[in-house]
């Protein structure tokens, strides 16, 4: 056991928790209309609560228990049984409790990301059930395959901090959910503007800050690799933000704050799978390329296909995750990592093939798993809120808790309360 390593992972775990709430909650909450701020933040907050319980009871065991044929973990750690103060997994220099908690917050934020694709229209009951089933049947198997000693790990696929496990899986799942639930009312006929760019920016900055823990925590120690990860993470985020700014300036004649900050997030997503495997210069290239990949996905692919990924969970997390996973197969080098895997540029084209298999696996699992889970949920409850509730906004129609006590919102709330009283009588 090493006290320095333990201290760092304690901090990293707290940073990832901070990314979740307030980070992602503010990031998503600032982008939606003022009618759905509370409901959007609730999705992030509730996913943290539910997934944490699921992960303690059975999710962690399915991911890191004794492997069954390389496909799923055993039941060794149900309810954190046999998870204690000893060295995690018998080989690490941090307590098992701490390693398990780090994996808990990773799982929770992955579910929260999905909510960005369906904000403003998914029913709360459906979301609660989804937050139980999806990490159990989609995230846990993928985490086992990549990080828990499963078949992708054995094959040699590289994913330092969650390019396939977190970002591709959540981005693709968000797209599937958005297609199944359908677009927002007036999606194509009226402009959907963010209600508070200040909240959005504070959320984006919090995510950037927390990403040092998200990526750096995956080193599972403090030292040279963690220092490298800090450098590659920051370089990719900054490069992608600059790249997005330039693209907007050229194509739209003006850079925007929302666009530039979104570019930073795209770069952070893209470097996640290779943060500890590539050089800082390679991280700059990965970040620079991530911005156009996501920009054109959001502004051209999405516009042409007319799907409603509300907050571009697929356009940013899915697409940047795919690029980052493949880029790891190109730029990985043993000059800076101890994984023993070089990428295409360093004489090992086979690594790119392994990364491609990992990407395809995450996409297929995300599509099939999310589709089945939502179909099952729809047998018991509606996936989508009623038309009148959606038009009024979920803050008032369901939570009865407006984010802002403006005159119009108070009038709407009074009208809603009056209708409820008349209905009850």
């Amino acid at each position: 056991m090493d006290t320095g390593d333990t201290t760092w992972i304690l901090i990293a775990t707290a940073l990832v928790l901070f990314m979740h709430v307030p980070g992602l909650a503010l990031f998503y909450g600032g982008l939606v209309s003022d009618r759905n701020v509370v409901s959007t933040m609730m999705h992030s907050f509730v996913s943290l609560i539910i997934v944490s319980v699921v992960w303690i009871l059975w999710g962690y065991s399915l991911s890191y228990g004794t492997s069954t044929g390389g496909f799923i973990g055993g039941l060794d750690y149900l309810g954190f049984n046999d998870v204690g103060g000893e060295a995690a997994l018998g080989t690490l220099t941090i307590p098992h409790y701490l390693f398990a908690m780090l994996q808990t917050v990773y799982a929770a934020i992955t579910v929260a990301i999905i909510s960005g694709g369906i904000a403003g229209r998914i029913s709360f009951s459906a979301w609660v059930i989804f937050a139980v089933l999806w990490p159990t049947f989609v995230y846990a198997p993928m985490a086992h395959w990549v990080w828990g000693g499963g078949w992708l790990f054995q094959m040699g696929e590289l994913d330092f901090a969650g390019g396939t496990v977190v970002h591709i899986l959540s981005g693709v799942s968000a797209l599937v959910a958005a297609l199944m639930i359908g677009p927002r009312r007036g999606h194509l006929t009226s402009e959907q503007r963010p209600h508070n760019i200040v909240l959005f920016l504070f959320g984006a900055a919090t995510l950037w800050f927390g990403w040092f823990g998200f990526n750096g925590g995956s080193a599972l120690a403090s030292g040279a690799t963690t220092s490298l990860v800090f450098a590659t993470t920051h370089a990719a985020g900054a490069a992608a933000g600059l790249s997005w700014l330039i693209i907007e300036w050229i194509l739209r004649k003006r850079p925007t704050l929302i666009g530039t900050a979104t570019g930073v997030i795209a770069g952070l997503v893209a470097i996640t799978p290779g943060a500890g495997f590539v050089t800082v210069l390679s991280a700059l290239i990965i970040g620079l390329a991530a911005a156009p990949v996501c920009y054109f996905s959001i502004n051209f692919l999405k516009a042409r296909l007319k799907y409603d990924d509300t907050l571009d969970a697929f356009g940013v997390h899915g697409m940047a995750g795919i690029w980052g996973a493949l880029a790891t197969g190109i730029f990985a080098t043993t000059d800076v990592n101890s994984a023993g895997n070089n990428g295409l540029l360093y004489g090992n084209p086979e690594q790119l093939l392994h990364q491609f298999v990992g990407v395809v696996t995450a996409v297929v699992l995300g599509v099939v798993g999310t589709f089945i889970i939502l179909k099952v949920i729809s047998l018991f409850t509606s996936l989508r809120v009623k038309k009148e509730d959606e038009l009024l906004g979920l803050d008032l129609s369901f939570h009865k808790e407006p984010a802002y006590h403006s005159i119009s919102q108070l009038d709407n709330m009074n009208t809603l309360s009056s209708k409820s009283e008349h209905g009850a009588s």
Side-chain angles (χ1 to χ4, degrees):
M1 212 76 72
D2 185 277
T3 55
D5 293 344
T6 298
T7 301
W8 162 237
I9 304 303
L10 284 167
I11 295 171
T13 302
L15 285 172
V16 178
L17 183 65
F18 194 63
M19 288 176 71
H20 199 297
V21 180
L24 192 66
L26 290 174
F27 182 82
Y28 278 172
L31 287 174
V32 296
S33 72
D34 61 358
R35 297 174 294 119
N36 292 304
V37 182
V38 172
S39 66
T40 300
M41 289 184 171
M42 277 288 283
H43 289 154
S44 290
F45 197 59
V46 169
S47 67
L48 172 60
I49 295 169
I50 295 174
V51 177
S52 294
V53 174
V54 168
W55 213 246
I56 290 169
L57 292 178
W58 62 77
Y60 177 72
S61 191
L62 294 177
S63 296
Y64 291 96
T66 303
S67 185
T68 302
F71 286 95
I72 197 67
L75 305 181
D76 319 47
Y77 303 129
L78 285 180
F80 273 18
N81 178 55
D82 285 338
V83 174
E86 75 286 353
L89 308 182
T91 59
L92 299 177
T93 57
I94 60 175
H96 200 167
Y97 278 134
L98 183 53
F99 176 79
M101 285 307 302
L102 179 65
Q103 302 310 315
T104 300
V105 291
Y106 280 154
I109 199 169
T110 305
V111 176
I113 291 170
I114 300 172
S115 68
I118 46 183
R121 59 199 189 279
I122 187 172
S123 73
F124 191 71
S125 57
W127 177 250
V128 168
I129 300 171
F130 183 84
V132 174
L133 298 181
W134 192 87
T136 302
F137 296 104
V138 178
Y139 182 90
M142 190 71 190
H144 181 74
W145 298 345
V146 176
W147 293 333
W151 67 276
L152 283 172
F153 174 83
Q154 295 170 19
M155 182 185 70
E157 195 247 348
L158 297 176
D159 187 353
F160 188 82
T164 51
V165 179
V166 175
H167 296 294
I168 298 178
L169 209 56
S170 63
V172 169
S173 297
L175 177 60
V176 173
L179 292 173
M180 292 181 68
I181 294 175
R184 288 164 291 171
R185 311 279 177 185
H187 164 57
L188 297 176
T189 57
S190 61
E191 187 177 1
Q192 309 286 336
R193 293 183 177 181
H195 91 282
N196 194 318
I197 297 177
V198 175
L199 288 185
F200 159 80
L201 181 63
F202 188 73
T206 303
L207 288 173
W208 194 348
F209 173 69
W211 226 290
F212 291 108
F214 191 94
N215 285 354
S218 289
L220 300 175
S222 62
T225 298
T226 305
S227 302
L228 168 68
V229 170
F230 265 55
T232 55
T233 297
H234 189 72
L242 177 62
S243 181
W244 196 295
L245 182 152
I246 292 172
I247 292 170
E248 277 195 328
W249 209 338
I250 293 173
L251 297 182
R252 297 188 172 184
K253 309 307 178 186
R254 62 179 64 84
T256 66
L257 181 58
I258 288 179
T260 304
T262 299
V264 171
I265 300 302
L268 295 170
V269 170
I271 196 58
T272 295
F277 301 135
V278 304
T279 65
V280 178
L281 182 59
S282 294
L284 281 174
I285 298 171
I286 291 171
L288 286 170
V293 167
C294 295
Y295 183 89
F296 287 103
S297 172
I298 293 170
N299 292 283
F300 293 96
L301 179 65
K302 178 181 174 181
R304 180 170 294 244
L305 298 180
K306 295 180 170 54
Y307 61 84
D308 186 16
D309 175 9
T310 312
L311 305 178
D312 297 312
F314 173 72
V316 175
H317 294 274
M319 293 302 295
I322 290 171
W323 158 240
L326 295 176
T328 301
I330 298 172
F331 295 103
T333 171
T334 54
D335 290 346
V336 296
N337 76 72
S338 58
N341 300 68
N342 280 316
L344 176 65
L345 289 183
Y346 295 86
N348 182 24
E350 186 178 2
Q351 188 60 49
L352 183 57
L353 176 61
H354 293 164
Q355 299 305 111
F356 179 76
V357 172
V359 168
V360 172
T361 300
V363 170
V364 172
L365 180 60
V367 170
V368 175
T370 303
F371 179 82
I372 293 174
I373 287 171
L374 289 176
K375 278 294 184 183
V376 171
I377 293 174
S378 69
L379 298 176
F380 302 96
T381 186
S382 175
L383 296 179
R384 185 168 183 152
V385 298
K386 296 177 181 179
K387 178 181 178 180
E388 56 269 26
D389 292 339
E390 182 179 341
L391 293 176
L392 180 61
L394 302 185
D395 291 2
L396 288 176
S397 63
F398 182 79
H399 299 287
K400 296 185 179 178
E401 190 176 25
Y404 307 104
H405 290 280
S406 63
I407 294 175
S408 60
Q409 283 191 312
L410 288 174
D411 287 344
N412 285 333
M413 187 164 63
N414 291 333
T415 300
L416 185 67
S417 299
S418 178
K419 287 181 179 180
S420 298
E421 291 172 3
H422 287 309
S425 60

